[in-house]
Amino acid sequence: MSIAYSKDSVVPFNVPYVSRNEADHIREALASGKVDGDGPFADRATTLLRKATGAGAALLAPSCTHALEIAALVLELRPGDEVIMPSFTFPSTANAFALRGAVPVFVDCRPDTLNLDERLLEPAITERTRAVVVMHYAGVSCEMDEIRRVASRHGLPIVEDNAHGLAASYHGSALGTFGVLATQSFHATKNIQCGEGGALLVNDPRLLDGAEIARDKGTNRCQYLRGRVEKYRWIELGSSYLLSEVLAAYLTAQLEDMPRIQERRHAVWNRYHDRLADWAERHRIARPAVPPGCEHPAHLYYLLLPDQPSRDAVLAHLNAHGVQATFHYQPLHTSSAGRKYGRSAPDGCPVTVSAADRLIRLPLFAGMTTAETDRVVDALLSYRPA
Ligand SMILES: *Cc1c(COP(=O)(O)O)cnc(C)c1O
C-alpha cells in the first residue's frame, strides 16, 4: 500500500497528556521514602476525586479493571449469580465478575448513545440476578432515572463502570455517584491518566469496610491503621489492590490540572462537532448523541457510518492521510470468553453488532492542536464514496 503522507505528519490517536507538576510530585514521593500505597499523595488524589465527583469515598487502585474486581468481591458474587451489563463495553467490565464465577448477562445498547438500553433491563432480570453494571459510553450518561427505578424495584445494586465518565454528569449529578460502587480508569488513554491506574468510588457507606478489606489483601489493615483494632488479620477474600505513591503523585498532578485538560479536550470535540455537521448529514453519518440533561466529558469523538463497507473505506482513507483513527469495542456476547462465561438474549444484541461494525473514533487528546484537528476534518471532508 502506498503511503501518501510523510511520517512526521501523522496525527496520532492519543498522546498521554503531561501537565506541569508530575515530575515534581514524583520526586517528592521518592524523596519522602513513602512509596507504597495510601500515603499523602493518595490522600491528595482521593480528595480531588471526591471533590470532582461528590462521591462518598474514593480508594485508589492499580487500574479500573482491579477496581471492578474489588466491586465483584464486595458484592460477594458467587458462581451462578447473574450480573446484567452491556455487550458494548471493554472486556474488564465482564471479566471482573466472571472471575468470581458470576455469569455476565449481556444486554443490547441504544442506537443513539450506545449505552445499555434501559428498556431491555427488566426483561433480562431473573431470580439469579444480583447486580446491574452500567457503562457510560463516551462519558454520556445512561438513562439513570429509568435504570435506577428498575433496579430498586428488584432490590438490585448498580455498579458504574465510569472509565469514560469522570467530569460528566446526568441532570446535575456527577457520573460515578449513581451506583453503590463506581470505578474510574487512569489508563494512559483516559482523560486523566497516570499510565496505569484506577479508583473505586464507594457511595454506599455500608460497603466501605468490605471494599477496604478486599483491596488490602483481605485484611483489616485499614481499621488497624485507624486504631480501630489491635492487630490486623485475614478477614475475607481480597488481593493487593493499592496504587503506589509514585503513581498517586503522578495522578495528583493530573487531577490538579483537570480544568485545563478538560477545556482543551472540549475545544477539540467542539471543533469536530461543528466542522463535521453538514458533511455528516449529507453522508447519513451520525455524530455523538448527547441527550438533554447529559454533560459529556469530551472523552471520545466517534462517527457512526451507514454500513461496514463505508466505515472500512473511511478508516482506510483517514489512515492513508496520516490520521490514526480507529474502531472500538467488539461485542462481548459474541467473543469467545463472552460465549463461554456469559449469555445474552436469544436474538443476541443486534444494535451492538451493527454499531461495532460502523463506528470510527477520531484522534482526541488534550495536547492536540487546532491544526491537527483541522487535518482530521479536512481528511474526512476530502472523502469521496467509491
Ligand atoms: C479503559 C476501560 C477499562 C479498563 O481500564 P484499566 O484502567 O485499563 O483497567 C474498563 N472499562 C472501560 C469502559 C474502559 O474504557
Side-chain angles (χ1 to χ4, degrees):
M1 188 185 117
S2 73
I3 294 173
Y5 55 90
S6 86
K7 250 195 144 67
D8 4 56
S9 69
V10 169
V11 182
F13 179 70
N14 176 54
V15 178
Y17 187 66
V18 178
S19 62
R20 282 168 276 213
N21 291 325
E22 282 85 351
D24 283 348
H25 286 3
I26 290 169
R27 259 193 297 274
E28 189 181 328
L30 294 176
S32 76
K34 168 72 183 168
V35 287
D36 56 330
D38 285 351
F41 279 110
D43 274 349
R44 284 168 68 173
T46 50
T47 302
L48 288 165
L49 253 181
R50 281 192 293 112
K51 227 180 248 168
T53 57
L59 305 172
L60 299 187
S63 68
C64 181
T65 303
H66 288 106
L68 286 160
E69 290 176 20
I70 302 172
L73 282 163
V74 173
L75 296 178
E76 297 182 17
L77 294 173
R78 300 215 148 69
D81 289 348
E82 295 180 353
V83 179
I84 297 173
M85 63 182 69
S87 172
F88 194 66
T89 182
F90 191 71
S92 296
T93 318
N95 189 72
F97 297 94
L99 272 176
R100 310 299 327 135
V103 179
V105 174
F106 298 113
V107 168
D108 211 356
C109 62
R110 289 166 53 121
D112 55 353
T113 57
L114 310 184
N115 284 328
L116 184 141
D117 188 333
E118 64 280 1
R119 294 165 308 175
L120 303 178
L121 175 56
E122 193 145 43
I125 294 173
T126 73
E127 285 167 1
R128 317 204 69 162
T129 309
R130 295 289 174 270
V132 176
V133 183
V134 297
M135 190 277 286
H136 310 289
Y137 187 66
V140 174
S141 180
C142 296
E143 261 320 312
M144 292 314 297
D145 284 343
E146 176 64 7
I147 289 171
R148 278 203 295 198
R149 210 167 54 73
V150 173
S152 80
R153 189 155 65 225
H154 293 268
L156 296 171
I158 295 172
V159 176
E160 292 173 88
D161 177 343
N162 196 34
H164 299 186
L166 186 61
S169 64
Y170 176 76
H171 295 293
S173 298
L175 302 193
T177 57
F178 289 90
V180 291
L181 299 166
T183 62
Q184 305 293 152
S185 175
F186 305 117
H187 183 263
T189 51
K190 301 304 193 311
N191 288 27
I192 299 295
Q193 60 91 22
C194 61
E196 302 275 359
L200 181 74
L201 307 182
V202 184
N203 296 311
D204 182 339
R206 292 171 301 179
L207 300 179
L208 185 57
D209 275 351
E212 287 181 338
I213 289 166
R215 176 173 170 266
D216 213 346
K217 298 95 183 168
T219 72
N220 56 352
R221 200 173 69 110
C222 271
Q223 297 172 9
Y224 166 75
L225 293 173
R226 289 192 201 105
R228 274 167 54 190
V229 291
E230 284 195 6
K231 293 193 179 69
Y232 74 85
R233 319 186 66 125
W234 185 29
I235 304 293
E236 250 305 342
L237 292 180
S239 192
S240 183
Y241 292 131
L242 274 65
L243 185 71
S244 156
E245 274 289 281
V246 180
L247 288 177
Y250 186 160
L251 179 62
T252 299
Q254 292 263 314
L255 289 166
E256 286 167 347
D257 213 17
M258 193 158 126
R260 201 164 64 130
I261 291 170
Q262 287 304 107
E263 189 186 307
R264 284 165 160 257
R265 295 187 73 103
H266 277 289
V268 176
W269 198 102
N270 290 335
R271 195 164 181 89
Y272 278 147
H273 209 59
D274 293 342
R275 285 206 62 201
L276 292 172
D278 293 345
W279 172 84
E281 195 179 333
R282 218 165 41 243
H283 294 282
R284 294 179 300 119
I285 296 169
R287 298 172 302 149
V290 184
C294 296
E295 296 273 355
H296 75 85
H299 173 55
L300 54 87
Y301 198 91
Y302 67 87
L303 299 171
L304 277 171
L305 282 289
D307 50 47
Q308 185 171 21
S310 61
R311 189 278 300 270
D312 293 347
V314 171
L315 207 46
H317 176 82
L318 286 173
N319 290 338
H321 283 73
V323 174
Q324 285 184 351
T326 184
F327 49 86
H328 209 186
Y329 299 132
Q330 300 307 295
L332 293 184
H333 71 289
T334 56
S335 66
S336 55
R339 281 183 315 207
K340 188 167 169 190
Y341 299 110
R343 63 172 179 80
S344 58
D347 66 335
C349 303
V351 180
T352 299
V353 169
S354 164
D357 286 345
R358 296 185 294 113
L359 191 138
I360 290 178
R361 287 181 295 160
L362 302 181
L364 173 52
F365 49 94
M368 202 167 163
T369 63
T370 307
E372 285 172 320
T373 311
D374 285 343
R375 268 202 54 200
V376 178
V377 172
D378 293 340
L380 282 168
L381 298 186
S382 74
Y383 170 74
R384 297 281 171 276

